[in-house]
Amino acid sequence: MGPGQPSELQWEQALVRVLRDPERIALYRQPIVDLRRGVTAGFELLARFADPEVDAPPFEWFRQAYAFGLGPRLEAAVVRQALRLRDELPPNTFLTVNLDPAAVAHPDAAEVLLVETRLDRVVIEITETSPLGDVGELGRVAKELRERGAFIAVDDTGTGYAGLERLLAVRPQFVKVDRAFVEGVDQDGAKRALLELVGHFASRLDAWVVAEGIERVEELAELIRLGVPLGQGFLLNRPAPEFRPLPREIGELIRRVAERRRLGLVAEALLEAAEAVREGELPPGRIAVVVDGWGRPLRVWDGERDGAAMKISPSTAVAQAARRAMLRPYGERFLPLTVVDDAGRLLGIVRVERMVEVLASEAAA
């Protein structure tokens, strides 16, 4: 035990206090957002625990509970609190509650769920915090829950073989993609390919993909371009102790990007931030744009060579931009294009290789 860390006795006493008084469990709501319509589709409930002696993150509470043989009881207490919130749900939304595979079929948790005759608008999200256990029993309980109207979600898809086993065992209606595969997806072709594969697999299961951990506008735009239907993350809204509406500006942004995707792919969907520098300041090994005193692009530097800045607007069709790029002198064809606003000021860049990748993907679709 490290300095300041609770002792085993303190943990055991804290767990007993929480189980005796479920009001010590606070449920924070993180929205799950429709990435086509720009509206909240549901809320994931995230447990927080209040105790006078133990201050620890939620995952540590669950870890300690399982170490003391109290894991399913603690999970059941969270589920019981969650089900009480159904009447407070905003219209046309669902709520998601997490369950460890070890708890799904355990009598403590199963009793709380299966005593309910109706579980519509409830999503049971099966996590991957403990070994999978009896796959057949997991599938049987998932079937019973669906018969009562519940939906099943599988968390952390793509992070291991056990995750694939869970997918096949429970045949979920929601497939959640871990933050590790969402972070930087706008700059990583392998991650985009994985998301496309997950999307194809989910469609075979008649399931929806949920991208977790969206924190940047560029990630959001790329997910919309890829056709990922649902997402959550700090960019969209942070967990809160009440059901909060989606910020208006986020909803408008999603609808605007989704509409551009529907009408045709444009440069703004592939826009990346770019470093603006002055003449003589070219940084070795990374992309930069030389600008004048008004922020207007003059030249583009890809870390090794430079050339005249080719300027396009955010609404320029990607196919048109690619054609223009190929008309440049041979040595400059694969330099990034600069995207400018109505005053000609630099907004960012679009890489030629990204345009080629997207156009090839569109042609194969």
Side-chain angles (χ1 to χ4, degrees), residues 17-276:
R17 282 191 292 269
V18 166
L19 291 172
R20 285 178 177 170
D21 180 12
E23 295 303 316
R24 294 176 181 271
I25 302 172
L27 293 177
Y28 277 59
R29 293 80 153 164
Q30 183 172 32
I32 298 170
V33 178
D34 184 322
L35 299 186
R36 293 170 183 164
R37 297 183 297 136
V39 298
T40 300
F43 295 87
E44 180 176 1
L45 300 181
L46 305 170
R48 303 288 186 266
F49 302 96
D51 186 81
E53 293 187 20
V54 171
D55 181 17
F59 75 85
E60 185 63 17
W61 277 86
F62 285 109
R63 192 181 76 81
Q64 292 290 340
Y66 275 96
F68 283 99
L70 298 172
R73 285 185 60 189
L74 184 61
E75 302 231 31
V78 172
V79 170
R80 191 176 289 111
Q81 293 291 88
L83 293 178
R84 293 173 181 167
L85 296 177
R86 283 182 294 178
D87 292 339
E88 301 177 25
L89 267 174
N92 302 313
T93 60
F94 56 81
L95 66 81
T96 297
V97 60
N98 297 317
L99 266 184
D100 187 275
V104 173
H106 192 281
D108 287 334
E111 181 182 351
V112 175
L113 289 167
L114 298 181
V115 73
E116 299 282 338
T117 57
R118 293 188 57 183
L119 288 170
D120 51 306
R121 303 181 73 189
V122 175
V123 179
I124 305 301
E125 181 174 328
I126 300 173
T127 64
E128 197 176 35
T129 51
S130 70
L132 188 57
D134 188 338
V135 175
E137 181 67 7
L138 185 63
R140 183 192 65 77
V141 175
K143 182 174 181 292
E144 287 191 54
L145 292 171
R146 274 195 291 266
E147 289 172 351
R148 286 166 168 76
F151 293 107
I152 305 296
V154 168
D155 194 17
D156 294 343
T157 299
T159 59
Y161 175 72
L164 298 177
E165 272 197 295
R166 284 179 304 149
L167 278 174
L168 295 174
V170 305
R171 306 297 168 110
Q173 285 81 41
F174 295 90
V175 176
K176 303 193 77 175
V177 178
D178 187 76
R179 162 70 183 158
F181 302 105
V182 172
E183 183 179 10
V185 67
D186 55 304
Q187 301 169 358
D188 192 323
K191 290 182 179 181
R192 291 192 292 273
L194 177 66
L195 276 166
E196 289 176 331
L197 284 173
V198 172
H200 288 312
F201 182 73
S203 67
R204 293 295 185 94
L205 296 178
D206 196 22
W208 294 72
V209 175
V210 184
E212 297 185 291
I214 304 171
E215 296 185 2
R216 297 169 48 246
V217 171
E218 294 84 357
E219 292 166 353
L220 174 64
E222 186 62 29
L223 292 166
I224 293 172
R225 190 195 70 76
L226 289 169
V228 175
L230 298 170
Q232 62 185 114
F234 287 174
L235 175 68
L236 306 178
N237 223 348
R238 289 178 176 266
E242 65 278 328
F243 292 110
R244 289 182 180 174
L246 186 70
R248 185 179 65 182
E249 63 273 17
I250 293 296
E252 291 174 350
L253 171 65
I254 290 171
R255 289 188 290 273
R256 188 165 64 248
V257 175
E259 179 65 8
R260 290 198 186 105
R261 177 181 182 269
R262 188 183 70 81
L263 295 176
L265 194 60
V266 293
E268 187 174 10
L270 306 181
L271 184 66
E272 297 179 31
E275 181 179 1

Side-chain angles (χ1 to χ4, degrees), residues 274-292:
E275 181 179 1
V277 300
R278 307 307 281 280
E279 289 281 8
E281 299 176 354
L282 299 179
R286 65 178 188 268
I287 293 174
V289 180
V290 178
V291 298
D292 64 15

